[in-house]
Structures are given as structure tokens and as C-alpha cells.
Amino acid sequence: MAQRIEGKTVSESLRATIRTETEAFRKETGVTPGLAVIIVGDDPASAVYVRNKHKACGEVGMYSEVHTLPQDTAEDTLLALIDRLNQDTKIHGILVQLPLPKQISEEHVIAAIDPRKDVDAFHPVNVGHIMLGDYHFLPCTPAGVMELLRFYNIPVSGKNCVVVGRSNIVGKPQAMLLLEQNGTVTICHSRTTDLAAHTLRADILVVAVGKPNFITGDMVKEGAVVIDVGINRKADGKLTGDVDYASVEPKASFITPVPGGVGPMTITMLLKNTLTAARVACGVFSQK
Ligand code: GUN
């Protein structure tokens, strides 16, 4: 029987701290941390995420604004908006919701965001900082996974950590963060031969591939910590992860449910990054 990692509970606890810190920061500096979220087009899932981000900012006492642009927006129009937000002193964090319509280059858009306001930590400058271990921001999803491990006192040092998936948003930065905490890290991906041989060695298994029930009980070591980053929508509209919970749960020591595991943590980490960005902008940031 595995212990369930309750992302919702952890998230509520962290958001309470962020709310207190935001209030203290405002008293100290007179500044309210501000986030601008840009959404292009009308993807329903993205619209829900953006609404939740806006609401979460209000709940912790931050300012936020949502910019909704039509599906056929030209890249230059979006870049001009980013440029304006880069100059706006009310705004400390800028997030452009992905994916973008195909006429717009994600690479150009990410590069246009001032790295000091890049609360997604997707800008090449911030990716470089993460590689070097001298960062201010971490990408929200892998940062949320690390917070869950910390909250449940799950040690990483010396453990075999296997990350399945190599995306820029999750897999690659996740591997760097586990390495930074002295895990022995393996990254598996679609060209990995004999995936199970790797996953069966994992003390900590992080799965982010976007395929429902991709990891089954026979691929998991007895006592492993299993973190499911996948959010897949089934035909009946319900959400499911990348891990087959029914067969994996009896073997794991800890496991994240979907929904309610990693998901709630990502917005919490966005709030944390927005507060950090405001602190850095005001020169009152100290870390480590
Ligand atoms: N779309 C899905 N996940 C993310 C994320 O973490 N940040 C942004 N900007 N868009 C996303």
C-alpha cells in the first residue's frame, strides 16, 4: 500500500505561506507583485489554466492581468505586447500560455520575454542558470515535483532517479533538479530500448510522457516513489495520468494521484516565482 502524495494539501500549505510573504513584502516595499498572463486563441484547456492562474494570484494578494488575443494574431503583435509588458513596472512576471497558434514561433516569443520576468523559466538565459545551479526561477512543474518530495521527506541523494520524458518543460529540467540534489539520474524517452529495465531500477520514478497508463506495475520496483506528471483526458472527460495507478500503487511506497498530485503544485510554483521576481526587481531578494 503506497502513501498518496496529496498535492492539493501541500499546495494549500505553500500558498498560505506565499500569501503571508506577499503581504510582508508589500508592507516592506509598498509593491504588489504583478503577473501578466497572455493567451492566444481559444483552446479550452488553456483557457481553464489561465483562469485558474488569475484566480490564484488574487487569492494570495497579487495583482494579475490576462491578455486574450485572437487565434489569428500575428507574431509581431504578440511580440509588441511582450515588449510593453517588459517595460511595465507593475508587472514582475510574464507568462505566455502554450501551445501557441502555428503562425507564431514559440522560440521567438520565449526569447522576447525579459529573463527577469520569465516566471516559466523557459528563456534560454534561465535554462542556462538552471544548468549551472544559480537560478532564481525554476520551471513550475519540475519545481512542484521537488517540493512534493521535500514535503514528504523523501530523500533524493544517492537514489536511482529515472525520468521518463525529455521535454524542455518537464523532463530535462526535472533531471537537472534531481541531479542537483545528488540523485543518480537516467533520462528515458521514446527511443529508449527496454524501458522497463531502466524503470525497474528506479527508487524515484518521474513520468511525463502524455500517454495514459504508460507505466504499469510490472515496470516498477517494490517500494519505489512514483511521480505522475501526466494529465490526459479520457473519452468520458475524466482525467488520468501516465501511470496505471491500479497496478502500480500496490508496489509503490509513495504515489501521486491524477488529478490532485503534481497538477495543483504548478500554479503554486508560478506564484512563488512571481513573488521572487518582484523581490529581485526591488532588490530585496536573498537565496541560499
Ligand atoms: N502550457 C502547459 N504547461 C504550461 C506551462 O507550464 N507554462 C506555459 N506558459 N504554458 C503551458
Side-chain angles (χ1 to χ4, degrees), residues 38 46 49 53 95-99 120 122 139-141 169 266:
I38 305 174
S46 289
Y49 289 134
K53 286 166 183 171
L95 181 145
V96 180
Q97 187 66 30
L98 303 178
D120 263 327
F122 292 167
C140 299
T141 302
I169 294 184
T266 58

Side-chain angles (χ1 to χ4, degrees), residues 48-67:
V48 173
Y49 289 134
V50 167
R51 221 173 19 251
N52 288 341
K53 286 166 183 171
H54 181 57
K55 185 162 159 263
C57 280
E59 285 166 2
V60 297
M62 292 183 187
Y63 169 74
S64 72
E65 56 189 39
V66 176
H67 297 263

Side-chain angles (χ1 to χ4, degrees), residues 237-249:
K238 294 212 174 102
L239 296 180
T240 188
D242 292 346
V243 172
D244 177 37
Y245 193 90
S247 66
V248 171
E249 188 273 341

Side-chain angles (χ1 to χ4, degrees), residues 192-236:
T192 297
T193 52
D194 198 358
L195 176 64
H198 295 282
T199 58
L200 277 166
R201 296 181 64 244
D203 302 308
I204 300 174
L205 179 62
V206 182
V207 190
V209 292
K211 293 183 183 160
N213 303 332
F214 186 69
I215 298 289
T216 45
D218 56 321
M219 300 168 77
V220 175
K221 183 168 84 166
E222 199 69 46
V225 175
V226 180
I227 308 287
D228 188 352
V229 180
I231 301 179
N232 309 292
R233 201 167 285 280
K234 292 190 287 190
D236 63 5

